[in-house]
Amino acid sequence: MSYLDFLLNPLISLDPTPSNPIFTIFIIATIIAFFIVLLQKLLIDYDRMAELQAEMKELQVEAREAQKSGDPKALAKVQKKQMELMPKNKELMMMQMKPSFITIIPIMIIYYGMIGNHAISHVIINIASSQYYLLLIPIWNIFWTQSNPLTINFFGWYILSSFAMSFVFRRIFGLKAM
């Protein structure tokens, strides 16, 4: 029994295949992806972020040129600029991390609720051998192994669904890659 069964069981009962609730996991991943992308849209000032990233890139170019020239004055100037940009670098990092800080606890609660639900945690998706490489299963198997490499468990399906829907929502909201 999971502490989220009161929410998950009605969703599973609506699934076309309640014994293997692939659609339920997809819906949960879609909802979570939507809220994460929405928070990113609301909490991140993308214009400011682009401005800060451009400054950092410009400084990197200057640092390479100063190193190539071997001029100690140029190197000192670049180091001084780096020290001045440290607060901006911190601002950039905090801007990018804010949505993660807000969403990590609710996502963990939902994820552990899914693990505790018997129907969801025992989902197995069989894939064709042609999909084995298309879905990058050999890379996924580095992180976890399965008895049959032509299957995906609930975690793999959740991750695939979440990545795909995050991509879709990022396009809908017009967000660039961070």
Side-chain angles (χ1 to χ4, degrees), residues 3-178:
Y3 55 88
L4 288 180
D5 279 349
F6 72 96
L7 291 173
L8 296 174
N9 287 340
L11 274 173
I12 292 169
S13 68
L14 295 173
D15 199 300
T17 55
S19 61
N20 200 21
I22 297 167
F23 187 67
T24 300
I25 296 169
F26 177 78
I27 294 298
I28 293 168
T30 300
I31 292 168
I32 291 172
F34 174 78
F35 283 112
I36 289 172
V37 173
L38 181 65
L39 277 173
Q40 288 173 347
K41 172 89 171 153
L42 296 174
L43 296 176
I44 296 174
D45 182 356
Y46 282 92
D47 295 331
R48 176 74 176 143
M49 188 170 76
E51 178 185 311
L52 292 171
Q53 287 174 336
E55 284 183 51
M56 303 295 168
K57 224 179 255 186
E58 182 182 311
L59 182 64
Q60 287 174 350
V61 170
E62 285 181 36
R64 273 191 236 118
E65 289 173 1
Q67 284 178 338
K68 284 181 185 178
S69 72
D71 182 17
K73 288 183 181 179
L75 285 170
K77 183 181 175 185
V78 167
Q79 286 177 343
K80 185 179 178 188
K81 271 191 173 179
Q82 284 177 332
M83 294 306 288
E84 291 171 2
L85 285 178
M86 290 292 266
K88 290 182 179 182
N89 195 14
K90 182 181 176 186
E91 177 188 353
L92 177 65
M93 188 175 72
M94 290 306 294
M95 191 183 309
Q96 291 172 331
M97 295 300 290
K98 195 183 294 185
S100 299
F101 290 143
I102 293 171
T103 59
I104 191 72
I105 300 298
I107 289 172
M108 295 300 280
I109 290 169
I110 293 168
Y111 178 72
Y112 284 113
M114 290 170 60
I115 289 174
N117 185 286
H118 182 76
I120 289 178
S121 64
H122 287 82
V123 163
I124 298 291
I125 300 171
N126 296 314
I127 59 172
S129 58
S130 61
Q131 296 168 326
Y132 179 76
Y133 293 104
L134 180 67
L135 294 173
L136 306 173
I137 300 299
I139 295 171
W140 291 73
N141 284 336
I142 293 170
F143 301 108
W144 77 87
T145 57
Q146 308 232 103
S147 57
N148 180 357
L150 294 178
T151 62
I152 300 174
N153 64 9
F154 100 95
F155 180 70
W157 177 241
Y158 171 81
I159 294 295
L160 284 171
S161 301
S162 180
F163 283 168
M165 295 312 296
S166 290
F167 178 79
V168 169
F169 291 132
R170 291 183 72 73
R171 293 290 179 234
I172 290 171
F173 287 124
L175 301 180
K176 300 174 189 168
M178 286 194 280

